[in-house]
Structure formats: structure tokens, C-alpha cells
């Protein structure tokens, strides 16, 4: 019995810990937002084409910050935050 316990303890020490569901990373979009923010000047035209109701000032104010962009999209299109985030995610996937 003692030998079995020792083997079980040794195995549990050697086995990697399984990540809990709370620690499992969420899948990232095709490009990370850091890359988008870094290339914001180049991507402003794409943002303007995708969300035509945004003014140039809206796009300049966003300045590569996702939360500000989502807020501007919410305000111009009258949608909720979840829908704005889903649209931004879809736009990100199209940026290749």
C-alpha cells in the first residue's frame, strides 16, 4: 500500500497541472489589436470604408484604441457594445 501511495504521489508531482477553464486563454483574432494600433494611420481608410457613418474626427479620436472605436460605432449605429465588438472582430479577421 505504501508503495502504491508513493508511486501515485510521484506521478502527480511529475504530471503537468491541467489549466482550469478560467485560465484558458480566449482565441485571439487574426491580428492582435497591438498590431492594429501600431498601423492605425495606414488602416484608417479601411475603418472609414467599413463604418462609413464614422466621421474623420471619430477615427482620429479613436487613434487605434479599440474601446474608443467601439464606443464611436455604438453611437453612430445605435447598437450595443456586444454587437460593436462583434463587428470589430469580424473586421479584424478580414485584415490580412
Amino acid at each position: 500500500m505504501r508503495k502504491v501511495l508513493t508511486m501515485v504521489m510521484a506521478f502527480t508531482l511529475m504530471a503537468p497541472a491541467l489549466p482550469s477553464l478560467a485560465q484558458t486563454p480566449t482565441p485571439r483574432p487574426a491580428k492582435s489589436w497591438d498590431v492594429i494600433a501600431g498601423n492605425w494611420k495606414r488602416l484608417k481608410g479601411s475603418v472609414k470604408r467599413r463604418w462609413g457613418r464614422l466621421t474623420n474626427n471619430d477615427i482620429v479620436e479613436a487613434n487605434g484604441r479599440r474601446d474608443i472605436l467601439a464606443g464611436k460605432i455604438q453611437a453612430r449605429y445605435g447598437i450595443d457594445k456586444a454587437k460593436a465588438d462583434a463587428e470589430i472582430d469580424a473586421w479584424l479577421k478580414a485584415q490580412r
Side-chain angles (χ1 to χ4, degrees):
M1 183 69 153
R2 179 177 230 164
K3 199 175 216 181
V4 172
L5 286 175
T6 305
M7 289 176 27
V8 169
M9 290 175 56
F11 178 74
T12 57
L13 291 175
M14 290 188 300
L18 296 174
S20 70
L21 293 177
Q23 295 174 344
T24 304
T26 57
R28 295 192 65 140
K31 284 189 175 184
S32 73
W33 195 257
D34 295 335
V35 173
I36 299 297
N39 294 319
W40 188 249
K41 286 185 179 181
R42 185 175 59 82
L43 294 169
K44 285 193 286 188
S46 175
V47 171
K48 182 68 174 169
R49 282 189 299 277
R50 174 63 182 92
W51 295 286
R53 291 185 193 172
L54 293 180
T55 65
N56 288 334
N57 285 342
D58 291 339
I59 295 170
V60 169
E61 285 178 33
N63 196 26
R65 294 189 320 251
R66 183 185 173 117
D67 57 335
I68 302 296
L69 179 63
K72 299 292 182 183
I73 293 169
Q74 283 178 263
R76 296 287 178 204
Y77 288 88
I79 59 177
D80 63 351
K81 182 168 176 42
K83 178 71 172 161
D85 284 336
E87 286 193 17
I88 291 172
D89 288 340
W91 175 76
L92 280 174
K93 287 179 184 177
Q95 301 302 310
R96 292 184 181 196

